[in-house]
Amino acid sequence: MSKSIFNSFYQYLIEQYEAFQANLQGTLPWPDALLKHKQQAFELFKKQGFPSTKQEDWKYTNLAGPLQQIFHLSAGNETADLQTALKAASIKDVQACRIVLLNGRLQRAYSDPLPEGVHFLEGAEALHHYYAEEYFASLADPTGIPLVALNTAFVPAFNLLHIQKTTDRPLHIMHFYASHQASFLPERLLLVTEEQVQTQIIDTFHQLTTEPILINYVVEQYLKEQVAMDIFLINALQPNATFFHHSETYLHSQSTYHHLNFSFPGADFIRNNINARLQGSASEANLWGLYVGGGHQLVDNHTIVDHQQPGCNSNEWYKGILQDKSTGVFNGKIFVEKGAQKTNAFQKNNAILLSREATVHAKPQLEIFADDVKCSHGSTVGQMNEEALFYLRTRGLSELTARQLLIEAFAFDILSKIPHKAVAHHVMELLRQHLHLESSIPIDA
Amino acid sequence: MLQIKNLQASVNGEPILKGVDLEVKAGEIHAIMGPNGSGKSTLASVLAGNELYEVTGGEAWFEGKNLLEMPPEIRAREGLFMAFQYPVEIPGVSNINFLKTALAEIRAHRGLPPLSAKEFMQRLKEKQELVEFNASLVNRSLNEGFSGGEKKRNEILQLAMLEPKLAILDETDSGLDIDALRIVANGVNKLRAKDNAFIIITHYQRLLQYIIPDYVHVLYDGRIIKSGTKELAYELEEKGYDWIKESLQASFS
């Protein structure tokens, strides 16, 4: 078996590239410096194709299934009436500044006015910004990461979020998707936060149509010195969505980054690469995740915490709840590079299987090249604690209530990391909606 | 209140209870004593409805209803309570919310509305004092990081809050120091009333110096082989379980 997949979708993309580029040069010409990255990324993709399960990072995540059909390149100029959808997708009681995107493009008419010192640039403005030349495709290097190569080659444009001042309310980036045929929707964000800025960003994803879509969302983030940034990624997409997300974050000294990653049953296929590079001393990255699988869903979270400098901290905790025939994959890499002394790096992942047909593959991976470090990792896979269940029932709680309580308690470790009460409440509601405990069977039964 | 007739149960196919007969009336305290492995905790678990134990014969009636047909939560709502020998730690479930939920379920079963927040807190405060339970523990996760004594006191606090008709204390005295033992015993003594009953399962006579039982039963090899009053406990303490075994063997020879 080959290390790559060269299927009909691959062939389609290779054949379409020239016409796609010609069209792009006619409508939104990219500056040469960036175009070069695009060309290189295309060559990489052409050579490497899609990764097969022969590649270590894709061992349990087989793309042959989700990519067996053609996802058409989209013209990228779809319009839709978002009024109703916007209301439904807003999070209750969160006074957020909403930035509304449709297939990755800003919908100014539906978006809230940005706070002072926050700039959301698109099209030519983003392409010609000084940060574009500096960071585009250099933070998220396409080499060796097939889905970043794919995105870099085929993304028609990217957005640039430039945060110069501390924001007093979260920015809520609402990603809407619409298509009238099976579509490939690459989307990209470059986010730069200036020194001493404190900010919080909520990312949510919503489908307006039921045609199959392949979302390929790449985020490059650069946090300058003493920045504090929280990201809340909430993925409650519907069936027929395949979601590839790659997030690459560089932290400068004394910066703090919290990434909270929540996903729920719905999207058929989710692959998240969440990477944090501690490039400045005394910086801190915390990656928290809760994934709830259902149906035939596959949820794959690959994370990297890369300690490059001394005195940095990282904490990571991913928890999974797998129902039905769902599959979870967790791979957490911690690198402590030579010279990154006084590193504290901790990682935990726990998964609970609620059905006999659910699966989880978990792999912690520590590579430590410094000697004065504190690192630990722990991984557990279990099922509903029958002893606890019995205990609760002997106090009068119904089996269903007891199961619900235990699952919520399991999720609590991650939910409690959300500093916004209303956001935490929203995520808890999603959790309740997507649990169907009455059908869960204890494995030993 | 409780009638057990010829109750037999097994774990993983191995018979543990081999025909237990017991009758408990309102207002009574029964102590069940016996050496390790005699089936004491199995009896408690079977009465509470633990599905790991298979009932292979006999009957158990609670307030005229067939106990063995009820799932554990219905037994609890009908007024049966078991204080666990090893209470489970449940991180993430707050003690106070758990108590509120449990109490609401039990009250609903009896056709009563849930207590108001104020009534609940008042009752909790009262019962906490009864078992000298630190207020900060109530706000923590259920039993998480509690010492052995704190866990046992939390069991008695739950007992006090839920006001069962029949409480089974499964080796509540094990692992308790003398102060904790006194607190637990005081709690039980204050809760005993003419319309409720207790079954106290213990290996030692120690707890029975503080909680005076009306009846003492000796469980041995899955059967109650001797019943008596509190004096039986003293005799057992003095002569040891071997005395029972020997007298049993003598009666067969």
Side-chain angles (χ1 to χ4, degrees):
Chain A
M1 196 174 138
S2 160
K3 284 201 162 212
S4 301
I5 299 170
F6 300 103
N7 58 8
S8 53
F9 178 43
Y10 166 85
Q11 293 299 341
Y12 164 82
L13 288 171
I14 299 301
E15 282 159 22
Q16 292 290 316
Y17 187 69
E18 213 169 299
F20 162 77
Q21 274 304 344
N23 181 44
L24 199 58
Q25 284 310 103
T27 50
L28 181 67
W30 281 49
D32 289 344
L34 302 189
L35 205 55
K36 184 185 72 191
H37 293 302
K38 255 180 128 47
Q39 285 292 355
Q40 284 169 354
F42 177 69
E43 293 305 326
L44 274 169
F45 175 69
K46 193 176 170 185
K47 197 171 140 210
Q48 296 170 348
F50 293 108
S52 81
T53 51
K54 283 280 170 191
Q55 294 189 22
E56 190 57 32
D57 276 344
W58 295 88
K59 197 172 173 184
Y60 303 106
T61 304
N62 192 347
L63 291 178
L67 300 184
Q68 65 189 337
Q69 64 179 314
I70 306 281
F71 294 93
H72 295 88
L73 282 166
S74 130
N77 54 3
E78 294 81 358
T79 55
D81 181 2
L82 294 174
Q83 208 55 56
T84 320
L86 185 62
K87 209 174 163 199
S90 298
I91 301 174
K92 210 175 146 242
D93 300 325
V94 179
Q95 300 301 317
C97 170
R98 293 170 304 178
I99 298 169
V100 179
L101 308 178
L102 178 62
N103 295 354
R105 292 172 73 107
L106 179 66
Q107 307 295 300
R108 218 173 273 280
Y110 294 106
S111 301
D112 294 325
L114 291 166
E116 201 199 327
V118 176
H119 309 281
F120 194 91
L121 308 174
E122 54 165 348
E125 270 195 305
L127 285 170
H128 293 280
H129 196 277
Y130 49 92
Y131 279 145
E133 193 172 339
E134 199 171 347
Y135 297 128
F136 179 81
S138 75
L139 300 183
D141 184 350
T143 320
I145 309 170
L147 299 181
V148 174
L150 176 70
N151 178 283
T152 310
F154 287 95
V155 76
F158 60 85
N159 298 309
L160 197 159
L161 179 56
H162 184 200
I163 307 178
Q164 293 176 298
K165 283 195 175 161
T166 292
T167 52
D168 59 356
R169 58 198 169 125
L171 305 174
H172 182 178
I173 306 179
M174 305 170 91
H175 306 256
F176 288 95
Y177 301 100
S179 71
H180 298 291
Q181 60 176 343
S183 297
F184 172 42
L185 303 171
E187 177 179 348
R188 190 150 177 145
L189 178 72
L190 172 58
L191 195 166
V192 181
T193 41
E194 298 294 339
E195 282 94 356
Q196 298 182 342
V197 159
Q198 295 175 25
T199 192
Q200 295 180 320
I201 295 166
I202 305 166
D203 268 301
T204 58
F205 306 86
H206 316 274
Q207 277 144 286
L208 300 170
T209 50
T210 54
E211 293 294 326
I213 52 173
L214 169 61
I215 298 164
N216 180 6
Y217 180 40
V218 170
V219 179
E220 294 174 281
Q221 303 187 121
Y222 197 82
L223 276 58
K224 294 200 178 175
E225 289 174 12
Q226 296 176 40
V227 164
M229 183 160 87
D230 299 350
I231 304 275
F232 311 107
L233 190 80
I234 305 169
N235 185 337
L237 281 162
Q238 301 299 309
N240 280 330
T242 298
F243 186 80
F244 296 158
H245 176 45
H246 183 99
S247 166
E248 193 79 36
T249 305
Y250 280 78
L251 281 83
H252 250 268
S253 10
Q254 297 173 56
S255 277
T256 308
Y257 175 59
H258 295 269
H259 187 276
L260 288 95
N261 175 5
F262 300 98
S263 70
F264 297 94
D268 301 319
F269 192 99
I270 297 172
R271 164 66 177 240
N272 295 309
N273 293 338
I274 310 295
N275 300 345
R277 314 275 176 189
L278 297 155
Q279 211 183 26
S281 58
S283 54
E284 178 178 325
N286 298 311
L287 309 181
W288 318 117
L290 176 71
Y291 56 98
V292 182
H296 288 82
Q297 191 183 40
L298 183 141
V299 192
D300 176 347
N301 288 298
H302 265 64
T303 66
I304 296 175
V305 178
D306 181 9
H307 285 260
Q308 301 180 354
Q309 292 292 324
C312 298
N313 297 320
S314 67
N315 291 286
E316 176 168 12
W317 199 354
Y318 265 71
K319 286 194 144 189
I321 300 165
L322 282 314
Q323 313 179 100
D324 313 320
K325 295 182 174 175
S326 63
T327 303
V329 180
F330 172 81
N331 184 296
K333 288 181 190 158
I334 297 175
F335 299 130
V336 181
E337 300 191 10
K338 208 174 159 187
Q341 303 294 7
K342 308 282 178 201
T343 287
N344 291 309
F346 305 107
Q347 182 193 94
K348 262 198 281 192
N349 76 85
N350 314 107
I352 183 166
L353 302 176
L354 296 183
S355 132
R356 262 177 270 191
E357 291 165 297
T359 318
V360 71
H361 305 275
K363 185 178 165 195
Q365 211 176 321
L366 273 65
E367 294 181 20
I368 301 167
F369 300 99
D371 50 18
D372 184 12
V373 300
K374 278 188 197 142
C375 290
S376 72
H377 68 88
S379 179
T380 64
V381 178
Q383 57 200 73
M384 188 77 81
N385 181 343
E386 293 296 321
E387 206 189 340
L389 197 61
F390 175 63
Y391 185 81
L392 295 174
R393 290 176 72 193
T394 64
R395 300 304 184 246
L397 274 62
S398 73
E399 189 172 351
L400 194 62
T401 307
R403 283 183 185 278
Q404 178 103 15
L405 203 63
L406 289 175
I407 290 292
E408 287 175 14
F410 178 79
F412 177 78
D413 294 315
I414 307 302
L415 287 173
S416 63
K417 307 290 184 197
I418 308 176
H420 282 277
K421 217 174 172 181
V423 177
H425 182 77
H426 174 74
V427 175
M428 179 58 104
E429 283 302 306
L430 285 171
L431 173 65
R432 286 183 179 153
Q433 269 172 38
H434 287 99
L435 285 178
H436 41 92
L437 296 168
E438 64 284 353
S439 69
S440 59
I441 324 142
I443 291 172
D444 286 340
Chain B
M1 181 174 284
L2 179 73
Q3 286 97 28
I4 302 174
K5 293 174 196 160
N6 192 28
L7 186 63
Q8 298 156 51
S10 60
V11 185
N12 299 326
E14 192 192 333
I16 307 286
L17 298 184
K18 299 172 181 171
V20 172
D21 294 280
L22 181 68
E23 176 152 14
V24 178
K25 296 197 179 80
E28 294 176 350
I29 295 188
H30 290 246
I32 296 181
M33 301 183 71
N36 288 330
S38 59
K40 301 189 300 288
S41 285
T42 300
L43 178 61
S45 296
V46 167
L47 293 177
N50 191 334
E51 284 152 13
L52 293 176
Y53 298 83
E54 193 196 348
V55 176
T56 50
E59 300 166 31
W61 296 84
F62 181 57
E63 297 276 74
K65 292 178 186 167
N66 188 344
L67 192 67
L68 300 178
E69 281 180 354
M70 300 177 200
E73 59 269 32
I74 302 299
R75 300 183 194 202
R77 293 174 198 171
E78 287 284 334
L80 183 85
F81 181 93
M82 178 169 89
F84 282 62
Q85 184 178 2
Y86 304 108
V88 188
E89 293 194 21
I90 311 184
V93 172
S94 103
N95 222 341
I96 208 161
N97 283 342
F98 157 69
L99 270 176
K100 226 179 257 177
T101 311
L103 191 60
E105 297 254 19
I106 289 171
R107 287 177 63 90
H109 186 77
R110 295 172 190 169
L112 299 168
L115 292 180
S116 73
K118 201 179 153 194
E119 288 168 328
F120 177 83
M121 289 314 292
Q122 202 171 343
R123 179 154 168 184
L124 182 62
K125 192 166 169 269
E126 222 172 85
K127 306 297 185 186
Q128 253 169 256
E129 283 164 12
L130 192 74
V131 289
E132 301 178 34
F133 198 73
N134 191 324
S136 70
L137 291 176
V138 170
N139 291 312
R140 296 231 310 254
S141 280
L142 188 48
N143 292 328
E144 192 189 14
F146 285 22
S147 71
E150 286 167 344
K151 282 181 189 167
K152 295 293 174 74
R153 271 166 9 191
N154 198 15
E155 293 294 285
I156 306 303
L157 173 66
Q158 291 174 22
L159 195 168
M161 287 296 289
L162 303 179
E163 296 182 334
K165 293 175 190 156
L166 175 66
I168 303 164
L169 275 57
D170 185 12
E171 305 218 12
T172 298
D173 51 340
S174 69
L176 287 189
D177 63 31
I178 197 76
D179 291 328
L181 190 71
R182 186 184 45 77
I183 291 167
V184 164
N186 279 348
V188 171
N189 285 330
K190 282 179 195 157
L191 293 170
R192 70 187 292 186
K194 63 178 188 311
D195 55 356
N196 65 20
F198 290 82
I199 297 176
I200 293 169
I201 290 174
T202 180
H203 186 80
Y204 304 102
Q205 174 265 348
R206 199 168 67 138
L207 181 62
L208 305 179
Q209 292 176 337
Y210 297 94
I211 306 172
I212 310 298
D214 299 296
Y215 299 97
V216 174
H217 311 277
V218 180
L219 190 67
Y220 179 70
D221 193 24
R223 288 188 189 91
I224 288 175
I225 54 162
K226 199 170 175 68
S227 296
T229 53
K230 62 178 193 272
E231 285 73 22
L232 179 57
Y234 302 140
E235 206 172 350
L236 270 174
E237 186 76 5
E238 207 175 295
K239 300 182 179 171
Y241 285 112
D242 286 342
W243 160 66
I244 290 284
K245 291 180 205 170
E246 280 157 21
S247 61
L248 194 67
Q249 277 156 3
S251 71
F252 280 110
S253 55

